[in-house]
Amino acid sequence: MQIMGAGKPATIYDVAARAGVSKSLVSLVLQRSPRVSQQRRDAVLKAIQELDYRPSTAAVSLAGTRSRTIGVVLDDFRNQWFVDLLTGLRESLQDQGHRLVVADRFLNTGLDASPVEGFLSMRVEGIVIAGEPDTDLAIPASTPLVIAGGRVAIPRADTVANDDRAGGAMAAEHLLALGHTRLGFVGASSAASDERRTGFSAGVDGRAEVETVVLPGEPTEEAGSRALAQLLDAHPEVTAVFAANDVMALGALSELAERGLRVPEDVSVMGYDDTPLAATRYVGLTSIDDRSVEIGRGAGERLLARIADPTSAATEVLVEPRLVARRTTAAR
């Protein structure tokens, strides 16, 4: 790691002097303007590197130029679903020179501050709400907005999400094909969990018995453990469990281990989201891939389109999920 000197940070005037150009031309290079010759652009970029110049995003915004910054509000950093979503967002936005600024809506709740307020003070060009949006988020109508992964509609906001009902139906079909006739569902109080449970029940379509436990609160690992405990206490005959997401499925796996039940010999378990943890060889969790990279990529594309045309009608795009079978499910 290189440690820089303790002198004053370089200014745009220092860059201009080093490159032998005007301050205005340096600004044009920072804005990626096509009106600058390649020779002068190279000279400015070389000066920026030599001086370790860091332009102020806030200053650029206040100067009236584009900030090239997109704000992303996450439900919870602990949910690995966001890893692939952010990858897709970055892929779709980086070619246009946009950077991502990410905030967790629960991280600073004790400060009584919304992450949206911070984004607006930075003059972001648009906002992506990743997950279920809060109805009390005060986002100006002039700010381009896309919901990624959530299904709660907000006027004028585009939505790019996984088809959760189709994914729930896939989970049901998988377990039925393995010969399970006593099924369980564990979920939490979220719109995604409700959609997946609805799809699961519809997919079973009376061909098996389905027992359901939905706990209030977030779909966490601890909630998955508690929900499965309640399910098995009331219905020990259940041989296969579908959890609303991979995190809850991990909690279910822990509860089964504590009870001395084998997976998948005694109980098959599957989750949703196909997070990186599910794919590890140690866990090997059967899961429904929500294709969150595609959701992120689609959200970025929709946001760019809304920035270009803020008055366009809001659209909803559903991404088709797919089943990823691993070692936590087996034939009965």
Side-chain angles (χ1 to χ4, degrees), residues 35 120 135 247 309:
R35 294 183 292 159
L120 295 177
T135 55
V247 178
D309 183 8

Side-chain angles (χ1 to χ4, degrees), residues 31 40 42 45 66 107 120 138 142 148 151 153 160 177 182 194 212 242 256 300 307:
Q31 297 167 38
R40 289 190 169 186
D42 291 342
L45 293 176
R66 297 178 61 181
L107 196 58
L120 295 177
S142 59
R151 298 291 297 279
V160 182
R182 295 285 187 167
D194 290 344
T212 299
F242 172 46
L256 290 169
I307 291 172

Side-chain angles (χ1 to χ4, degrees), residues 143-155:
T143 302
L145 177 66
V146 173
I147 310 301
R151 298 291 297 279
V152 177
I154 292 182

Side-chain angles (χ1 to χ4, degrees), residues 124-202:
V124 296
E125 294 192 13
I127 293 177
V128 175
I129 306 294
E132 304 299 336
D134 286 338
T135 55
D136 60 349
L137 285 177
I139 302 177
S142 59
T143 302
L145 177 66
V146 173
I147 310 301
R151 298 291 297 279
V152 177
I154 292 182
R156 73 180 172 75
D158 295 304
T159 300
V160 182
N162 174 250
D163 191 340
D164 294 304
R165 290 198 183 192
M170 285 182 185
E173 196 59 49
H174 175 66
L175 296 177
L176 291 171
L178 293 174
H180 293 277
T181 58
R182 295 285 187 167
L183 309 179
F185 174 85
V186 292
S189 55
S190 72
S193 178
D194 290 344
E195 289 285 302
R196 293 165 187 179
R197 175 180 54 81
T198 299
F200 187 64
S201 298

Side-chain angles (χ1 to χ4, degrees), residues 26-47:
V26 175
S27 296
L28 289 174
V29 172
L30 294 174
Q31 297 167 38
R32 295 177 172 84
S33 171
R35 294 183 292 159
V36 182
S37 70
Q38 191 61 49
Q39 181 179 3
R40 289 190 169 186
R41 185 184 306 277
D42 291 342
V44 170
L45 293 176
K46 181 181 179 182

Side-chain angles (χ1 to χ4, degrees), residues 51-75:
L51 296 171
D52 193 33
Y53 172 64
R54 306 293 174 86
S56 167
T57 302
V60 170
S61 298
L62 289 172
T65 57
R66 297 178 61 181
S67 68
R68 296 282 180 180
T69 302
I70 303 298
V72 184
V73 181
L74 303 182
D75 273 345

